[in-house]
Amino acid sequence: MIYKVKNIVYCAAVDFYNMAISIPSRQLFIDGEWREPVRKNRIPVINPATEQIIGDIPAATSEDVDIAVKAARKALKRNGGKDWATASGAHRAKYLRAIAAKITEKKPELAKLEAIDNGKPLDEAAWDIDDVAGCFEYNADLAEALDAKQNAPIDLPMDTFKCHVIREPIGVVGLITPWNYPLLMATWKIAPALAAGCAAILKPSELASVTCLELGEICRDVGLPPGILNILTGLGPEAGAPLASHPDVDKIAFTGSSATGSKIMTAAAQNVKPVTLELGGKSPIVVFDDVDIDKAVEWTLFGCFWTNGQICSATSRLIVHESIAKEFLEKLVKWAKNIKISDPLEEGCRLGPVVSGGQYEKILKFVETAKSEGATISFGGKRPEHLKSGFFIEPTIISDVTTSMQIWREEVFGPVLCVKSFKTEEEAIELANDTHYGLGSAVISNDLGRCDRVTRAFEAGIVWVNCSQPCFSQAPWGGKKRSGFGRELGEWGLENYLSVKQVTRYISDDAWGRTC
C-alpha cells in the first residue's frame, strides 16, 4: 500500500506489457527448500480478468505449520543464534539488501505475476514492486542502526547500580497477509521481522499468493539461512488458524478483515502472545468549499478507486460542503466515465477486475442494498458493457446517502464511493468520525488552520491533508477502534518484532546490608 508521490520510469512499454508470463509451479517454502504439502493438496489460481484457471498453489495444513514452526525455531538456535538471531544488524542488513536487489532485477516478471493473480493494473503492480524493494532497503538501514542502540545505558537515581537495555528478536513470528497488495503487504511484515533477527512464517491470502512464493526463490538465490523465512500458502482455517494458535509461535502480525482479526486475537490470547492488527476501514475524505474543485475531484477518485478500490484505507466516504456538492458530484461522474477499465495487462488500464467472483458478488450486493435503502447510483454499479467476462465493476458513485445506510457504515472493499454533504466544520467532523473504524482520513482545504483543527479532531491513525493515500516506509501506519492496533512501517514497524531486556548490575564493593 505504499504509494510514493514521484515520477516512475517503467520498463519500455513493448517489453513490459508484451512479455510472456506463466505461473511458476511451486511447493511450500520450508527450511530453505521447496516441500510438497503433507496432504498434497493444491488450490487453483484464477485470473480475475478472464475467470480462467492459470495455475495452482500448494495448500498447507496444520501438519505443514508444525514443520515450518520447527524449522523456524531451529534456525534461531543454529550456531548458538550467531547465524541470525544474535548476529549483528549489519550482518542481517546484507541479506535484506540482496533481496531488494533481486526484487528490482525481477520487477517486470513479478509485476506481471501480481497483475494476473489479483487483477490490479500492471503499472500499479510495477509501482508496488518498486516499493517492495524500497521497504527491504529501508529496513536494512534500521537493522544497521540497531547495532548502535544495543546496550543503551539507563540513568538511575542510585550510583551503586548500572543499567542498560538489550534489544532482542521476539522469536518466531507468524505473518498473515491479504490479497490486495500480495508481496508488498507481506514485505511490510517480513522486512522488519528479519531486520530484528526473528524467524518468520508467512501465510499469504489464498486469493493471491503467487509473488509471495517467488520471494522464497529469491531467498534461496541470495542464500538466506534456511528456516529464517518460511512461506505457507493455503486456506485460512487450514493454515492461518493453526499458525495463529500455535504454542511455539511468539507473535502474530495480521492484516485483513476485522472479523478475522478478532478470531486471531482470541487464538493468540490462549498462549498470551502479542498481536499486531491492521484491519478494515471506512475512511472519510472531507472537502471544504475553498478548494480547487478539479484537484479535489482527482484526489477523491484516486483515494477510492486506486488498486480497483480494494484498499483498507480507501477514503470511500466523501463528505463535501453543500455549496459545491452539486458541481463536485457532476465532475466526479464525468471523470469516472473516463477511467479506462480493461484487462490489467492492457496499457493505460486504470481499473482492473476485483480479485474474485465472491468479491464481485459481494460488491454488487452492496450496491443493490444501497439502492433499495433509497440511495441514488449516480454512476456505475455494474459490469462495463464492453467486458463480457472477468470480475469487472464500473467505478461506482452513490449519492443521497444517509448515515443509517449500510453503504455508509460497512466496508465494501471495492470501487464504490458514497457521497454526503455538510454545512459546518463541526458537522463535517461529526460525520467523519461516525464510524466504528479509524484507519485513514483526509481533509482538503486551502485553509491550513482549518486543516490542523480537523486533523486533530479526526479519530484515525492516519490523516492526509490535501491528498489521499500517500504512504512511505518511513512513516507509521495503523489505526484505531475496529481498524486494529499497533503500527507498521518506520521505526515503529521494527519495534513490533523486538523484545527489550533490562540488565541491572550492582557495582559497589560494599555489602548490600539489607538482609539482617
mmCIF file of all heavy atoms in Angstrom, residues 37 49 107 111-112 118 135 160 177 181 212 224 230 264 266 270 284 288 291 306 317 336 352 388 417 420 438 484:
data_model
loop_
_atom_site.group_PDB
_atom_site.id
_atom_site.type_symbol
_atom_site.label_atom_id
_atom_site.label_comp_id
_atom_site.label_asym_id
_atom_site.label_seq_id
_atom_site.Cartn_x
_atom_site.Cartn_y
_atom_site.Cartn_z
ATOM 1 N N PRO A 37 3.202 -30.185 0.239
ATOM 2 C CA PRO A 37 2.357 -30.247 1.435
ATOM 3 C C PRO A 37 2.137 -31.691 1.882
ATOM 4 O O PRO A 37 2.084 -32.603 1.049
ATOM 5 C CB PRO A 37 1.039 -29.616 0.972
ATOM 6 C CG PRO A 37 1.372 -28.835 -0.246
ATOM 7 C CD PRO A 37 2.518 -29.522 -0.892
ATOM 8 N N ALA A 49 -9.321 -11.356 -14.483
ATOM 9 C CA ALA A 49 -9.698 -10.650 -15.712
ATOM 10 C C ALA A 49 -10.337 -11.573 -16.731
ATOM 11 O O ALA A 49 -11.077 -11.123 -17.616
ATOM 12 C CB ALA A 49 -8.479 -9.973 -16.327
ATOM 13 N N LYS A 107 11.668 -7.293 -11.355
ATOM 14 C CA LYS A 107 10.476 -6.435 -11.317
ATOM 15 C C LYS A 107 9.492 -6.696 -12.460
ATOM 16 O O LYS A 107 8.284 -6.850 -12.203
ATOM 17 C CB LYS A 107 10.906 -4.967 -11.302
ATOM 18 C CG LYS A 107 9.749 -3.981 -11.466
ATOM 19 C CD LYS A 107 10.267 -2.553 -11.537
ATOM 20 C CE LYS A 107 9.199 -1.594 -11.996
ATOM 21 N NZ LYS A 107 9.685 -0.208 -12.083
ATOM 22 N N ALA A 111 5.825 -8.020 -11.385
ATOM 23 C CA ALA A 111 4.685 -7.129 -11.607
ATOM 24 C C ALA A 111 3.612 -7.820 -12.445
ATOM 25 O O ALA A 111 2.412 -7.720 -12.153
ATOM 26 C CB ALA A 111 5.146 -5.843 -12.285
ATOM 27 N N LYS A 112 4.040 -8.548 -13.465
ATOM 28 C CA LYS A 112 3.065 -9.206 -14.319
ATOM 29 C C LYS A 112 2.375 -10.346 -13.578
ATOM 30 O O LYS A 112 1.158 -10.557 -13.723
ATOM 31 C CB LYS A 112 3.733 -9.723 -15.580
ATOM 32 C CG LYS A 112 2.770 -9.866 -16.755
ATOM 33 C CD LYS A 112 3.476 -9.738 -18.083
ATOM 34 C CE LYS A 112 2.462 -9.509 -19.206
ATOM 35 N NZ LYS A 112 3.121 -9.336 -20.515
ATOM 36 N N ASN A 118 -4.002 -10.953 -9.034
ATOM 37 C CA ASN A 118 -5.017 -10.246 -8.242
ATOM 38 C C ASN A 118 -5.765 -9.159 -9.007
ATOM 39 O O ASN A 118 -6.682 -8.558 -8.468
ATOM 40 C CB ASN A 118 -4.409 -9.701 -6.949
ATOM 41 C CG ASN A 118 -3.912 -8.280 -7.059
ATOM 42 O OD1 ASN A 118 -3.471 -7.840 -8.120
ATOM 43 N ND2 ASN A 118 -3.970 -7.552 -5.965
ATOM 44 N N CYS A 135 11.206 -1.033 0.667
ATOM 45 C CA CYS A 135 10.931 -1.402 2.058
ATOM 46 C C CYS A 135 12.032 -2.304 2.618
ATOM 47 O O CYS A 135 12.444 -2.160 3.782
ATOM 48 C CB CYS A 135 9.570 -2.083 2.145
ATOM 49 S SG CYS A 135 8.936 -2.267 3.828
ATOM 50 N N THR A 160 25.117 3.227 42.872
ATOM 51 C CA THR A 160 25.657 1.903 43.170
ATOM 52 C C THR A 160 25.168 0.855 42.148
ATOM 53 O O THR A 160 25.509 -0.329 42.259
ATOM 54 C CB THR A 160 25.247 1.453 44.582
ATOM 55 O OG1 THR A 160 23.828 1.606 44.724
ATOM 56 C CG2 THR A 160 25.965 2.280 45.628
ATOM 57 N N THR A 177 -1.206 -12.285 5.769
ATOM 58 C CA THR A 177 -1.330 -11.093 4.933
ATOM 59 C C THR A 177 -2.448 -11.224 3.896
ATOM 60 O O THR A 177 -2.869 -12.322 3.554
ATOM 61 C CB THR A 177 0.016 -10.810 4.227
ATOM 62 O OG1 THR A 177 0.426 -11.977 3.486
ATOM 63 C CG2 THR A 177 1.086 -10.464 5.251
ATOM 64 N N TYR A 181 -2.455 -6.312 -1.831
ATOM 65 C CA TYR A 181 -1.062 -5.978 -2.123
ATOM 66 C C TYR A 181 -0.229 -7.191 -1.739
ATOM 67 O O TYR A 181 0.458 -7.169 -0.719
ATOM 68 C CB TYR A 181 -0.609 -4.757 -1.334
ATOM 69 C CG TYR A 181 -1.238 -3.465 -1.762
ATOM 70 C CD1 TYR A 181 -2.483 -3.088 -1.299
ATOM 71 C CD2 TYR A 181 -0.573 -2.618 -2.641
ATOM 72 C CE1 TYR A 181 -3.066 -1.900 -1.695
ATOM 73 C CE2 TYR A 181 -1.139 -1.431 -3.042
ATOM 74 C CZ TYR A 181 -2.391 -1.072 -2.565
ATOM 75 O OH TYR A 181 -2.965 0.095 -2.967
ATOM 76 N N CYS A 212 4.358 -14.022 -3.509
ATOM 77 C CA CYS A 212 4.917 -14.374 -2.201
ATOM 78 C C CYS A 212 5.734 -15.659 -2.298
ATOM 79 O O CYS A 212 6.798 -15.785 -1.680
ATOM 80 C CB CYS A 212 3.805 -14.521 -1.167
ATOM 81 S SG CYS A 212 3.006 -12.964 -0.726
ATOM 82 N N LEU A 224 19.748 -16.763 1.969
ATOM 83 C CA LEU A 224 19.203 -16.523 3.300
ATOM 84 C C LEU A 224 19.277 -17.821 4.104
ATOM 85 O O LEU A 224 18.913 -18.885 3.595
ATOM 86 C CB LEU A 224 17.750 -16.055 3.200
ATOM 87 C CG LEU A 224 17.095 -15.628 4.522
ATOM 88 C CD1 LEU A 224 17.652 -14.287 4.974
ATOM 89 C CD2 LEU A 224 15.576 -15.556 4.378
ATOM 90 N N ASN A 230 9.856 -18.822 6.081
ATOM 91 C CA ASN A 230 9.103 -19.957 5.574
ATOM 92 C C ASN A 230 7.787 -19.420 5.009
ATOM 93 O O ASN A 230 7.197 -18.499 5.589
ATOM 94 C CB ASN A 230 8.826 -20.961 6.691
ATOM 95 C CG ASN A 230 10.107 -21.379 7.402
ATOM 96 O OD1 ASN A 230 10.787 -22.289 6.971
ATOM 97 N ND2 ASN A 230 10.440 -20.688 8.501
ATOM 98 N N ILE A 264 -8.207 -14.021 15.405
ATOM 99 C CA ILE A 264 -6.772 -14.170 15.649
ATOM 100 C C ILE A 264 -6.413 -13.708 17.055
ATOM 101 O O ILE A 264 -5.612 -14.336 17.754
ATOM 102 C CB ILE A 264 -5.982 -13.402 14.575
ATOM 103 C CG1 ILE A 264 -6.038 -14.189 13.267
ATOM 104 C CG2 ILE A 264 -4.540 -13.160 15.000
ATOM 105 C CD1 ILE A 264 -5.442 -13.508 12.088
ATOM 106 N N THR A 266 -8.350 -13.850 19.641
ATOM 107 C CA THR A 266 -8.840 -14.896 20.537
ATOM 108 C C THR A 266 -7.873 -16.069 20.576
ATOM 109 O O THR A 266 -7.550 -16.593 21.657
ATOM 110 C CB THR A 266 -10.227 -15.374 20.088
ATOM 111 O OG1 THR A 266 -11.127 -14.269 20.096
ATOM 112 C CG2 THR A 266 -10.760 -16.463 21.003
ATOM 113 N N GLN A 270 -4.915 -17.383 23.950
ATOM 114 C CA GLN A 270 -4.805 -18.657 24.656
ATOM 115 C C GLN A 270 -3.374 -18.922 25.101
ATOM 116 O O GLN A 270 -3.131 -19.607 26.098
ATOM 117 C CB GLN A 270 -5.300 -19.805 23.764
ATOM 118 C CG GLN A 270 -6.683 -19.602 23.178
ATOM 119 C CD GLN A 270 -7.721 -19.185 24.219
ATOM 120 O OE1 GLN A 270 -7.898 -19.860 25.234
ATOM 121 N NE2 GLN A 270 -8.392 -18.066 23.977
ATOM 122 N N PRO A 284 -13.034 8.591 5.793
ATOM 123 C CA PRO A 284 -13.659 9.778 5.206
ATOM 124 C C PRO A 284 -12.660 10.644 4.448
ATOM 125 O O PRO A 284 -11.463 10.655 4.746
ATOM 126 C CB PRO A 284 -14.145 10.531 6.449
ATOM 127 C CG PRO A 284 -13.090 10.220 7.480
ATOM 128 C CD PRO A 284 -12.644 8.810 7.204
ATOM 129 N N PHE A 288 -13.758 20.910 1.702
ATOM 130 C CA PHE A 288 -14.375 22.208 2.004
ATOM 131 C C PHE A 288 -14.564 23.021 0.724
ATOM 132 O O PHE A 288 -14.099 22.628 -0.360
ATOM 133 C CB PHE A 288 -13.520 22.958 3.028
ATOM 134 C CG PHE A 288 -13.656 22.392 4.423
ATOM 135 C CD1 PHE A 288 -12.799 21.391 4.872
ATOM 136 C CD2 PHE A 288 -14.652 22.853 5.276
ATOM 137 C CE1 PHE A 288 -12.930 20.858 6.147
ATOM 138 C CE2 PHE A 288 -14.787 22.330 6.545
ATOM 139 C CZ PHE A 288 -13.927 21.332 6.988
ATOM 140 N N VAL A 291 -11.674 25.019 -2.147
ATOM 141 C CA VAL A 291 -10.666 24.236 -2.851
ATOM 142 C C VAL A 291 -10.718 24.466 -4.359
ATOM 143 O O VAL A 291 -11.695 24.989 -4.897
ATOM 144 C CB VAL A 291 -10.868 22.731 -2.575
ATOM 145 C CG1 VAL A 291 -10.747 22.438 -1.100
ATOM 146 C CG2 VAL A 291 -12.225 22.246 -3.109
ATOM 147 N N TRP A 306 -8.118 3.675 -6.538
ATOM 148 C CA TRP A 306 -6.784 3.100 -6.713
ATOM 149 C C TRP A 306 -6.801 1.636 -6.281
ATOM 150 O O TRP A 306 -7.521 1.241 -5.374
ATOM 151 C CB TRP A 306 -5.805 3.905 -5.857
ATOM 152 C CG TRP A 306 -4.390 3.444 -5.847
ATOM 153 C CD1 TRP A 306 -3.751 2.782 -4.844
ATOM 154 C CD2 TRP A 306 -3.413 3.675 -6.863
ATOM 155 N NE1 TRP A 306 -2.446 2.553 -5.176
ATOM 156 C CE2 TRP A 306 -2.208 3.091 -6.416
ATOM 157 C CE3 TRP A 306 -3.441 4.289 -8.113
ATOM 158 C CZ2 TRP A 306 -1.024 3.117 -7.168
ATOM 159 C CZ3 TRP A 306 -2.263 4.324 -8.863
ATOM 160 C CH2 TRP A 306 -1.085 3.747 -8.391
ATOM 161 N N ARG A 317 -15.799 7.423 1.861
ATOM 162 C CA ARG A 317 -16.922 8.274 2.272
ATOM 163 C C ARG A 317 -16.544 9.727 1.966
ATOM 164 O O ARG A 317 -15.761 10.336 2.693
ATOM 165 C CB ARG A 317 -17.224 8.115 3.768
ATOM 166 C CG ARG A 317 -17.847 6.772 4.140
ATOM 167 C CD ARG A 317 -18.256 6.744 5.614
ATOM 168 N NE ARG A 317 -17.123 6.952 6.489
ATOM 169 C CZ ARG A 317 -17.129 7.759 7.543
ATOM 170 N NH1 ARG A 317 -18.201 8.465 7.849
ATOM 171 N NH2 ARG A 317 -16.048 7.877 8.294
ATOM 172 N N ALA A 336 -15.173 9.886 -13.712
ATOM 173 C CA ALA A 336 -15.287 8.430 -13.547
ATOM 174 C C ALA A 336 -15.596 7.759 -14.883
ATOM 175 O O ALA A 336 -15.125 6.648 -15.153
ATOM 176 C CB ALA A 336 -16.366 8.099 -12.518
ATOM 177 N N GLY A 352 -8.853 -2.388 -13.021
ATOM 178 C CA GLY A 352 -8.948 -3.775 -13.430
ATOM 179 C C GLY A 352 -10.083 -4.472 -12.710
ATOM 180 O O GLY A 352 -10.933 -3.835 -12.076
ATOM 181 N N LYS A 388 -17.288 -8.718 -21.260
ATOM 182 C CA LYS A 388 -18.299 -9.760 -21.083
ATOM 183 C C LYS A 388 -17.886 -10.836 -20.078
ATOM 184 O O LYS A 388 -18.724 -11.641 -19.667
ATOM 185 C CB LYS A 388 -18.599 -10.427 -22.436
ATOM 186 C CG LYS A 388 -19.008 -9.452 -23.531
ATOM 187 C CD LYS A 388 -20.198 -8.588 -23.109
ATOM 188 C CE LYS A 388 -20.585 -7.604 -24.206
ATOM 189 N NZ LYS A 388 -21.659 -6.670 -23.760
ATOM 190 N N LEU A 417 -17.792 4.613 -4.042
ATOM 191 C CA LEU A 417 -17.683 5.849 -3.266
ATOM 192 C C LEU A 417 -19.077 6.326 -2.900
ATOM 193 O O LEU A 417 -19.950 6.432 -3.763
ATOM 194 C CB LEU A 417 -16.980 6.932 -4.106
ATOM 195 C CG LEU A 417 -16.865 8.330 -3.498
ATOM 196 C CD1 LEU A 417 -15.862 8.333 -2.348
ATOM 197 C CD2 LEU A 417 -16.446 9.341 -4.577
ATOM 198 N N LYS A 420 -21.897 12.412 0.751
ATOM 199 C CA LYS A 420 -22.820 13.131 1.630
ATOM 200 C C LYS A 420 -22.302 14.551 1.803
ATOM 201 O O LYS A 420 -21.098 14.781 1.855
ATOM 202 C CB LYS A 420 -22.922 12.421 2.991
ATOM 203 C CG LYS A 420 -23.988 13.008 3.902
ATOM 204 C CD LYS A 420 -24.281 12.089 5.064
ATOM 205 C CE LYS A 420 -25.336 12.706 5.982
ATOM 206 N NZ LYS A 420 -26.560 13.084 5.250
ATOM 207 N N GLY A 438 -11.202 3.368 12.191
ATOM 208 C CA GLY A 438 -10.354 4.529 12.419
ATOM 209 C C GLY A 438 -8.977 4.361 11.816
ATOM 210 O O GLY A 438 -7.973 4.537 12.499
ATOM 211 N N GLY A 484 -7.990 -1.806 14.276
ATOM 212 C CA GLY A 484 -6.850 -2.528 14.828
ATOM 213 C C GLY A 484 -5.967 -1.680 15.712
ATOM 214 O O GLY A 484 -6.314 -0.564 16.104
#
